[in-house]
Amino acid sequence: MIGVIGGYGDVGAHTVLALLRAGHPVRVGGRSATAAAEFCARPLPAGAPVEHRVVDVRDGDSVAAFSDGLSVLVNCAGPSHLTGATAACAALRTGVDYVDAAGDDALHAVLDDGRYRHAGRSAVLSAGLRPGLTGLFPRAVARWARAAGTSRPDTVTVRTRVLDLFTTTSALEYLHGASAIGPGPLAAWRDGAPRRRALTRRTVTDLPFFPGTGTELPQLCAEDARTARALGVRDGDWLTLIQGEHVLAALDRVHVLPPDEAAHRLCRAARLDLAGRPPAVTLAVVLRTGGATRTAVLHGTGNAPLSGAVAAHTATSVLRGEVPPGRHFAADVLDAETAVAALTRSTAGEGTAPYARVELLPEDADPFAPDAVTEVGAL
């Protein structure tokens, strides 16, 4: 059985649904017995049992009791920098593998890799959209390029756009990640290493796959640097596209505000910018090797569905013994092609649409090259 703490929350609910659709029995946990019971009373995918229990993720003994009888514990209760260490340590004490839908470098540093290896248990962090899928998808594209005969890429450009709401927890998670020690805003990967302030923000209009006007914010986080090293690229740009004046204005202000106030403003700004628009996620990866180019674009249904699907796939991979003992980041230890493929499949018998679809452009197509933007945008 797989347990999901925060299983009736935004990301947790999607994790539970994905696990049930895959046929896994699930235990749903959270601090509210009423909310957990109401969630389990909903029409859920048939074929796998589901139960619910009260658990306080801030209390190690409570998490250990919840973990009794589980094979894998998935933590979707956040912010993970406040809950992850307690949940992970309790799971290890109980002899249960651990997956965190968030969990960053700070949590990775706290967990003792040797203890996990000695116990034969796994802890997999950053198993969501970002970090998580944003590290897996470029690796998958590189694998597809190699399969087509392209050698190791020299450069990579990754564009990410998330049109969605923030919950208070996801806003706090985002703000914590943005403030983490690292190369940070305007940084890029240059000559095989991070370089601060290598780029500037710019306004863009009607980029291929990104219609409308927005602002590209360059930022190199720890996951991006690990991805650059894994791909072996010389140079890399990671660009976040913000489409909406309210979120952009909020991001320019949050660093001077207390965390709770900053999260409130970010949630309000996202509601205003999303008004009348469906949630969507777009990841575009361009790999270049000499004169050869490989471009792929992932179109997703939203932050919570994608994060939940990645967390569920990670838990399933751990359950199948596909993850070795130790503590890992999801993008470093999962098979990238398999993870992306899992997001693009519909669920047999349930009539559910895939979480994402992927466009692999023809070889050498670079829709973001200056001389190609007009042509591709007209198609």
Side-chain angles (χ1 to χ4, degrees):
M1 175 172 279
I2 299 175
V4 182
I5 299 181
Y8 49 80
D10 199 34
V11 172
H14 286 285
T15 303
V16 170
L17 292 173
L19 289 169
L20 290 174
R21 287 173 184 139
H24 298 292
V26 179
R27 179 179 297 164
V28 177
R31 284 185 290 168
S32 171
T34 301
E38 288 176 349
F39 174 81
C40 292
R42 293 167 45 184
L44 297 173
V50 58
E51 62 182 48
H52 61 87
R53 295 188 187 179
V54 173
V55 58
D56 186 347
V57 72
R58 302 166 300 179
D59 183 335
D61 291 337
S62 178
V63 175
F66 177 80
S67 300
D68 184 43
L70 298 178
S71 298
V72 182
L73 175 67
V74 183
N75 182 22
C76 294
S80 72
H81 62 278
L82 301 179
T83 67
T86 299
C89 291
L92 180 60
R93 174 157 51 98
T94 317
V96 174
D97 292 311
Y98 180 76
V99 171
D100 202 311
D104 58 9
D105 291 65
L107 178 56
H108 187 269
V110 167
L111 304 185
D112 187 334
D113 185 64
R115 285 188 63 199
Y116 279 93
R117 292 177 182 273
H118 184 264
R121 300 265 66 91
S122 302
V124 186
L125 313 179
S126 299
L129 170 57
R130 179 165 178 81
L133 182 57
T134 47
L136 287 162
F137 188 53
R139 287 166 165 84
V141 178
R143 291 272 294 273
W144 298 333
R146 286 198 298 272
T150 303
S151 58
R152 189 179 70 181
D154 299 319
T155 68
V156 60
T157 302
V158 181
R159 287 178 172 85
T160 303
R161 180 189 63 177
V162 179
L163 296 174
D164 211 337
L165 300 175
F166 281 101
T167 64
T168 299
T169 296
S170 64
L172 289 169
E173 203 84 68
Y174 178 88
L175 294 168
H176 175 75
S179 65
I181 297 174
L186 308 183
W189 188 259
R190 292 292 182 268
D191 297 320
R195 181 181 299 174
R196 295 178 182 273
R197 300 196 171 274
L199 300 169
T200 59
R201 68 164 61 179
R202 67 181 187 128
T203 300
V204 295
T205 301
D206 290 333
L207 285 178
F209 311 105
F210 300 96
T213 298
T215 301
E216 279 188 341
L217 301 179
Q219 183 165 10
L220 189 76
C221 71
E223 181 191 58
D224 304 331
R226 289 194 298 272
T227 301
R229 293 188 184 97
L231 297 178
V233 295
R234 182 188 67 250
D235 298 329
D237 295 346
W238 273 262
L239 308 169
T240 299
L241 185 63
I242 305 295
Q243 289 186 316
E245 58 179 323
H246 298 96
V247 167
L248 186 64
L251 291 176
D252 285 338
R253 287 277 300 158
V254 292
H255 64 284
V256 299
L257 299 173
D260 288 345
E261 174 63 18
H264 172 74
R265 292 201 180 193
L266 198 54
C267 290
R268 181 177 181 275
R271 285 196 302 271
L272 292 171
D273 285 343
L274 190 66
R277 308 166 75 181
V281 173
T282 308
L283 303 178
V285 174
V286 180
L287 299 174
R288 299 180 183 87
T289 305
T293 301
R294 177 60 82 184
T295 301
V297 184
L298 182 145
H299 306 271
T301 50
N303 175 62
L306 281 176
S307 293
V310 174
H313 173 75
T314 305
T316 300
S317 298
V318 170
L319 190 65
R320 291 173 177 167
E322 297 168 357
V323 174
R327 52 105 163 89
H328 314 277
F329 292 109
D332 294 343
V333 74
L334 298 181
D335 182 88
E337 288 180 285
T338 302
V340 172
L343 301 179
T344 61
R345 289 194 299 265
S346 59
T347 305
E350 292 291 340
T352 57
Y355 294 97
R357 63 181 179 88
V358 172
E359 291 183 72
L360 186 60
L361 274 62
E363 191 173 353
D364 292 333
D366 183 358
F368 300 101
D371 59 350
V373 171
T374 301
E375 178 184 351
V376 173
L379 294 177

